[in-house]
Amino acid sequence: MEILSNLQKKDLKHIFHPCSQMKDYEQLPPIVITKGDGLYVEDEFGNKYMDCVSSWWVNLFGHCNPRINKVIKEQVDKLEHIIFANFSHEAAIELGERLTKVAPEGLNKLIFTDNGSSSTEVSIKLSFQYHAQTGNPQKKKFVSIDGAYHGETIGALGVGNMDRFTDVYKPLIREGVKVKGPNCFECEYGKTRDCCEAECFEHMEKHLNEHGNEIAGVIIESMVQGVAGMRIYSPIYLKKLRELTLKLNIHLIADEIAMGFGRTGKMFAIEHAGVSPDIMCVGKGLTAGYFPMSIVLITDKLYEAFYADYSEGKS
């Protein structure tokens, strides 16, 4: 093993890195980054690297962006944090106002969460409780498509379909329903995204029509399944899914954690289909990596199901 710096020694003594096999660090010690500028980051030895993965897809505007740095410094001198129950603050209110202006039509309310996985958890709980409080307590199941990834907390793993993340935790997971989804790389109908009518939607259509009475929501990564290998599919699939979920009183939950904020050419990927979901999760590019934060946007209809006196048992 190569000679380690003092920082590398301290790192290996205390830090359990995610998505890593720590034993590999005996031969490949962690690269300790000390500063960043735009596309580049620099380690403690002065070596420069291009951050071509945008620090796990969060960094939209480059490291140490001067404009972002400036407003963060101004904010921290005014207020760093305040309890959000019965209190609020100017920055959160302004963000809410600006975000709802650019979000798909109808998403007027938002809930602050702290990462993509927790936004999935909140979405599932909201959908489940909404149906319970509006006369459909039998709607308890959630549907996703094969290759889905919606985070790594226990509820999020239940609606995911990536075995390498879920296998170990099977005894803990309440599995959602997985339906065959679009696969434009190997289209079973011999079509391409440019000329198809999302014939592959027939699998989802069949399942929802047969079991819609017990399904609370469908969660889907809009337009692109990221962790599955950047699997891009036709917006017609989303259009058909929106039409059917509306008909069957099933929530459409759009996971825009990775693809939101311009990554597909529109502010949000679902806009390519010209439709709006009932619930939308945003994160990553929301803060450009400066803070751990995500947001769940919902419709007024969902919000109103929770708007009641405490005596009615809604919260």
Side-chain angles (χ1 to χ4, degrees), residues 35-41 51 58-74 285 287-291:
K35 60 183 177 180
D37 182 17
L39 174 62
Y40 295 92
V41 292
D51 185 359
V58 304
N59 196 316
L60 292 183
F61 305 108
H63 292 278
C64 293
N65 183 287
R67 180 182 173 191
I68 299 174
N69 288 1
K70 178 177 180 293
V71 294
I72 287 176
K73 290 171 184 174
E74 291 171 355
T287 68
Y290 277 79
F291 302 107

Side-chain angles (χ1 to χ4, degrees), residues 97-165:
E97 183 179 43
R98 295 178 68 174
L99 185 56
T100 53
K101 283 182 179 178
V102 299
E105 186 177 359
L107 297 174
N108 297 318
K109 305 290 185 182
L110 53 84
I111 300 167
F112 285 86
T113 51
D114 58 0
N115 59 66
S117 297
S118 63
S119 70
T120 297
E121 301 282 345
V122 168
S123 299
I124 292 170
K125 291 172 68 179
L126 275 171
S127 177
F128 171 84
Q129 191 172 347
Y130 170 90
H131 289 298
Q133 291 176 178
T134 55
N136 291 288
Q138 79 285 355
K139 283 181 169 284
K140 300 177 181 178
K141 295 184 178 181
F142 290 87
V143 175
S144 54
I145 59 177
D146 52 2
Y149 177 82
H150 300 289
E152 294 184 40
T153 49
I154 296 301
L157 288 174
V159 292
N161 189 223
M162 304 294 288
D163 288 344
R164 66 179 180 272
F165 297 117

Side-chain angles (χ1 to χ4, degrees), residues 10-301:
K10 290 180 179 180
D11 178 285
L12 292 174
K13 183 178 180 180
H14 299 293
I15 298 177
F16 194 161
H17 289 260
C19 299
S20 305
Q21 173 46 259
M22 294 303 297
K23 187 172 177 58
D24 291 344
Y25 284 24
E26 292 178 6
Q27 300 299 321
L28 299 168
I31 299 169
V32 180
I33 299 300
T34 56
K35 60 183 177 180
D37 182 17
L39 174 62
Y40 295 92
V41 292
E42 185 175 317
D43 70 15
E44 58 182 321
F45 305 114
N47 300 309
K48 286 189 174 182
Y49 309 84
M50 287 190 294
D51 185 359
C52 295
V53 74
S54 299
S55 292
W56 262 335
W57 306 353
V58 304
N59 196 316
L60 292 183
F61 305 108
H63 292 278
C64 293
N65 183 287
R67 180 182 173 191
I68 299 174
N69 288 1
K70 178 177 180 293
V71 294
I72 287 176
K73 290 171 184 174
E74 291 171 355
Q75 177 60 41
V76 90
D77 283 335
K78 291 192 291 185
L79 180 69
E80 85 300 345
H81 175 264
I82 191 66
I83 183 174
F84 222 38
N86 289 75
F87 289 86
S88 190
H89 59 91
E90 184 180 5
I93 295 167
E94 182 182 355
L95 174 58
E97 183 179 43
R98 295 178 68 174
L99 185 56
T100 53
K101 283 182 179 178
V102 299
E105 186 177 359
L107 297 174
N108 297 318
K109 305 290 185 182
L110 53 84
I111 300 167
F112 285 86
T113 51
D114 58 0
N115 59 66
S117 297
S118 63
S119 70
T120 297
E121 301 282 345
V122 168
S123 299
I124 292 170
K125 291 172 68 179
L126 275 171
S127 177
F128 171 84
Q129 191 172 347
Y130 170 90
H131 289 298
Q133 291 176 178
T134 55
N136 291 288
Q138 79 285 355
K139 283 181 169 284
K140 300 177 181 178
K141 295 184 178 181
F142 290 87
V143 175
S144 54
I145 59 177
D146 52 2
Y149 177 82
H150 300 289
E152 294 184 40
T153 49
I154 296 301
L157 288 174
V159 292
N161 189 223
M162 304 294 288
D163 288 344
R164 66 179 180 272
F165 297 117
T166 60
D167 278 353
V168 173
Y169 307 104
K170 291 289 187 184
L172 298 177
I173 295 171
R174 181 184 175 89
E175 283 281 359
V177 180
K178 311 305 188 299
V179 173
K180 187 175 183 180
N183 183 359
C184 296
F185 295 134
E186 298 176 329
C187 178
E188 60 185 303
Y189 306 93
K191 300 290 186 72
T192 67
R193 286 194 306 273
D194 299 327
C195 69
C196 77
E197 289 297 321
E199 286 83 358
C200 54
F201 183 70
E202 67 174 345
H203 305 294
M204 179 69 76
E205 183 177 33
K206 181 176 186 294
H207 186 85
L208 296 189
N209 279 327
E210 290 179 357
H211 304 282
N213 191 52
E214 59 187 19
I215 296 170
V218 177
I219 183 168
I220 192 166
E221 296 161 89
S222 305
M223 286 291 294
V224 184
Q225 292 183 271
V227 177
M230 308 309 289
R231 289 167 57 172
I232 305 169
Y233 61 90
S234 169
I236 297 174
Y237 188 96
L238 288 172
K239 187 183 290 288
K240 289 183 174 182
L241 180 59
R242 173 71 290 192
E243 291 172 357
L244 188 56
T245 51
L246 283 172
K247 177 183 175 182
L248 298 175
N249 188 27
I250 295 171
H251 290 139
L252 175 58
I253 304 170
D255 181 347
E256 294 265 354
I257 295 295
M259 295 303 147
F261 300 103
R263 279 211 163 96
T264 64
K266 291 185 180 291
M267 183 62 77
F268 298 103
I270 199 168
E271 292 179 278
H272 288 280
V275 299
S276 296
D278 301 289
I279 302 172
M280 186 171 77
C281 303
V282 298
K284 292 191 182 292
L286 174 69
T287 68
Y290 277 79
F291 302 107
M293 185 171 75
S294 56
I295 286 176
V296 178
L297 292 103
I298 64 174
T299 62
D300 291 329
K301 183 178 180 180

